[in-house]
Amino acid sequence: MADDVVGSQVADLQAECAEHVQKNRFRRRFWRFTHAALGLPAAVLAGISGATGLSSTDARVPAAVLALVSAGLSAAITFLKPEVHQRAAHARSRAYLALEVEARFALTQAASRGEAVPLTVYRDLLERRRMIIAGQLDELVQRVAVEAGPAEAGSG
């Protein structure tokens, strides 16, 4: 078992997936913070500028400045689309976590049998990683569902 090259590669893939899970969790938190950091001030400034503009005619300039800043923050949210990045990071994190579990299962299964990890299993794991990297998460979910379908039906 010590010379299980494929098992070693699967273990490396498992560690890589764990790292990607953490990175994507960080990205998700970053984009959630970015959304709040831009959106909340934009909403507050818009309200303040409206109230300031209505309070007196002398407050037109400060109200206009606040409205411009609010519009700039709103434009930044529209341009950056933090909610889209947040959802994507969450989806990638979940996909890498699933791949990490699959790799751990392959290693455990091979160890329990006293055998090496089959090359076909490693090839399948690499294909799933390629799909995650390519952003084909919907296709990956469909593929896993199709593969799991007959196995679940056969075990019942």
Side-chain angles (χ1 to χ4, degrees):
M1 189 74 112
D3 57 339
D4 183 9
V5 176
V6 176
S8 173
Q9 292 297 313
V10 172
D12 290 347
L13 178 63
Q14 178 189 357
E16 176 188 328
C17 288
E19 184 179 327
H20 281 293
V21 167
Q22 292 304 316
K23 286 180 180 179
N24 281 291
R25 285 181 179 164
F26 172 78
R27 287 181 183 118
R28 180 179 181 209
R29 284 191 302 266
F30 171 80
W31 286 111
R32 186 174 39 215
F33 173 79
T34 301
H35 196 204
L38 294 174
L40 183 62
V44 170
L45 289 174
I48 292 172
S49 69
T52 303
L54 292 174
S55 67
S56 71
T57 56
D58 295 335
R60 288 181 314 149
V61 173
V65 169
L66 290 174
L68 285 173
V69 171
S70 175
L73 291 172
S74 296
I77 288 175
T78 302
F79 177 75
L80 293 174
K81 297 180 178 158
E83 69 283 351
V84 172
H85 292 289
Q86 181 182 344
R87 280 193 305 267
H90 182 63
R92 280 191 310 271
S93 179
R94 291 182 61 170
Y96 275 115
L97 183 59
L99 186 59
E100 178 189 2
V101 169
E102 287 288 328
R104 184 180 310 124
F105 179 75
L107 290 169
T108 304
Q109 189 176 38
S112 71
R113 293 179 179 168
E115 301 172 353
V117 176
L119 187 58
T120 55
V121 170
Y122 180 53
R123 187 175 292 138
D124 182 58
L125 293 172
L126 287 178
E127 175 61 16
R128 291 180 189 206
R129 182 183 74 168
R130 185 203 61 77
M131 292 176 81
I132 295 169
I133 292 169
Q136 299 171 323
L137 300 180
D138 292 336
E139 294 89 345
L140 180 59
V141 168
Q142 290 173 353
R143 177 181 171 183
V144 170
V146 168
E147 290 173 1
E152 290 174 358
S155 65

